[in-house]
Amino acid sequence: MRNLLILVIILQFCACKTTQPETIYIEKEVLAPRELKKPTAKNIILLIGDGMGMGQISAGTYASNNKTNLERFPVIGIHKPTASSHLVTDSAAAATAFACGVKTFNKAIGVDKDSIPVTSILEEAETKNLRTGLVATSTIVHATPASFIAHNVNRRAYEEIAEDFLATEIDFFAGGGKQFFDLREDERNLIKEMEAKGYVIETFLNDYADVKMRMENAEKFGYLSSNKDPLPRSQGRDYFEDMSMTAVNFLNNDVEDRGFFLMIESSQIDWGGHANESDYIIDEFKEFDRVIGKVLDWAEQDGETLVIVTADHETGGYAVHHEATIDNLITNFTSKKHTGDFIPVFAKGPGAEDFAGIYENYDIYYKMRAAFGWPAKPASNR
Ligand code: MG
Ligand code: ZN
């Protein structure tokens, strides 16, 4: 019996040996086309609601007849909003995690925990000949947009961060903070320097219709909506919805058809949280939700665009109170600062399925790279 068993094993071994090359050949033939079929995204639009946790999403949705465009996303995941220096992250470390794939310290812009600059996904997109853009309702040098384009150990070094816009070939940006470009301590005029590089730079000092008209002929375009912070929407800021879709169309309208990376930030949901003002949060959320809806409408038509919506962290420990009704939305705050609550991630389009599950905030960077079909980066870079 034992001899028979050994004989069978020997026969199988020989059979394997003789048929092995053919088997491998067949597997290659079968596997290669299947691998090629994995859809990659031509464009990625990352939308960040600063300080937008589940409380903000819940209250904002209840206040919108119980409907949000976030319901249109087929894939939902959760990220852990922590920094290397603190359990609870700030916007700088969080945006650096998304932009560069590293956990870093609070206040860090595009540098790792040892203060070494790390190439961002926006910068890498440019080296790969994609078009790139940033739109925010804060200044354009504020922590969230800055982390995609600048490298600085201090998020408040706004004038230095503005200089980093000249070190890139970003194609489109819109936000506040004109004074950090042209009313500077060093008396440089970065607006003039960018214009010399071929940019059309428009500001709030010009009529918005003229701004839009001159943008049409621009190769690269920047809009600075205010000297310092843009106003809350309720006090008159009105460029966000328009500039978000203008950015999408500007980046997509390209004779070379290169594809693009665009980050759009609703910055002031966070400021409503810090101020413990529920109406401020809800109003900013509603505007962000309209932007999300328009971006989704466009991306659904396009079919080659991955859309991701998430937040950097929650702000205010904001929750819907147990006595709230749909008509009387009573809410609570537990803090004037950020909290460590887990944060939802919504994804739709090519590569979206990778965003299901629970993961670290920096994994969003690696998932976006994978969606673009770029080669994986070694884990040691984290
Ligand atoms: Mg922000
Ligand atoms: Zn904040």
Side-chain angles (χ1 to χ4, degrees), residues 34-346:
R34 205 187 294 152
E35 276 175 10
L36 286 175
K37 265 191 222 153
K38 192 182 179 211
T40 56
K42 178 183 165 196
N43 315 306
I44 295 181
I45 304 174
L46 172 64
L47 297 114
I48 301 174
D50 199 312
M52 186 184 74
M54 284 308 295
Q56 286 77 358
I57 292 171
S58 307
T61 301
Y62 291 140
S64 308
N65 301 316
N66 198 22
K67 283 304 267 184
T68 167
N69 283 299
L70 294 172
E71 293 169 55
R72 295 166 62 182
F73 286 86
V75 178
I76 300 169
I78 287 174
H79 81 73
K80 299 176 180 175
T82 64
S84 69
S85 58
H86 298 75
L87 182 67
V88 179
T89 190
D90 77 345
S91 296
T96 299
F98 300 155
C100 305
V102 294
K103 287 270 187 197
T104 190
F105 53 94
N106 285 352
K107 293 192 176 62
I109 300 289
V111 299
D112 69 12
K113 60 186 190 310
D114 302 316
S115 301
I116 310 291
V118 186
T119 304
S120 74
I121 190 161
L122 185 148
E123 291 167 320
E124 190 167 352
E126 285 180 11
T127 64
K128 290 181 158 58
N129 205 28
L130 272 71
R131 306 189 87 198
T132 60
L134 294 171
V135 176
T137 56
S138 60
T139 73
I140 202 65
V141 292
H142 207 261
T144 311
S147 297
F148 287 83
I149 198 165
H151 306 278
N152 205 297
V153 294
N154 177 13
R155 59 180 285 177
R156 309 241 176 248
Y158 296 127
E159 294 189 358
E160 290 176 21
I161 289 167
E163 289 166 35
D164 284 358
F165 277 71
L166 278 149
T168 75
E169 300 296 327
I170 186 169
D171 297 279
F172 188 103
F173 62 91
K178 173 178 169 286
Q179 68 172 34
F180 304 112
F181 290 81
D182 68 348
L183 296 168
R184 299 163 53 87
E185 294 249 330
D186 63 8
E187 297 188 351
R188 277 174 72 182
N189 186 329
L190 303 187
I191 292 178
K192 290 235 151 44
E193 291 182 34
M194 291 192 89
E195 285 169 348
K197 273 187 77 178
Y199 283 83
V200 171
I201 305 287
E202 295 285 344
T203 76
F204 64 97
L205 299 172
N206 305 325
D207 186 80
Y208 196 72
D210 294 342
V211 165
K212 290 292 293 286
M213 192 192 70
R214 285 191 288 268
M215 185 208 68
E216 303 234 319
N217 303 313
E219 178 72 17
K220 292 170 182 286
F221 178 79
Y223 177 61
L224 295 167
S225 66
S226 49
N227 259 330
K228 297 182 183 175
D229 291 329
L231 294 168
R233 195 215 61 86
S234 63
Q235 293 175 29
R237 184 194 71 237
D238 58 2
Y239 69 86
F240 186 44
E241 279 182 74
D242 186 59
M243 272 298 167
S244 294
M245 288 318 296
T246 298
V248 170
N249 289 312
F250 183 92
L251 295 173
N252 187 58
N253 185 9
D254 174 31
V255 281
E256 292 176 53
D257 203 26
R258 287 171 281 188
F260 63 84
F261 174 82
L262 171 64
M263 194 288 294
I264 297 173
E265 187 205 18
S266 173
S267 319
Q268 298 194 27
I269 297 170
D270 174 68
W271 303 357
H274 285 294
N276 280 190
E277 289 178 18
S278 190
D279 290 348
Y280 191 176
I281 291 171
I282 288 171
D283 191 53
E284 296 291 324
F285 174 85
K286 284 181 173 177
E287 182 192 44
F288 190 37
D289 195 42
R290 289 192 293 274
V291 170
I292 293 165
K294 287 178 178 174
V295 167
L296 276 180
D297 290 345
W298 182 89
E300 283 166 3
Q301 284 286 314
D302 178 67
E304 295 181 286
T305 302
L306 172 62
V307 180
I308 306 153
V309 181
T310 191
D312 44 3
H313 52 72
E314 194 278 340
T315 307
Y318 180 66
V320 178
H321 190 275
H322 82 284
E323 286 177 350
T325 66
I326 197 86
D327 302 315
N328 183 21
L329 202 64
I330 305 165
T331 54
N332 281 112
F333 292 91
T334 62
S335 167
K336 295 217 160 187
K337 299 192 169 170
H338 301 168
T339 71
D341 286 8
F342 285 9
I343 294 294
V345 183
F346 304 85

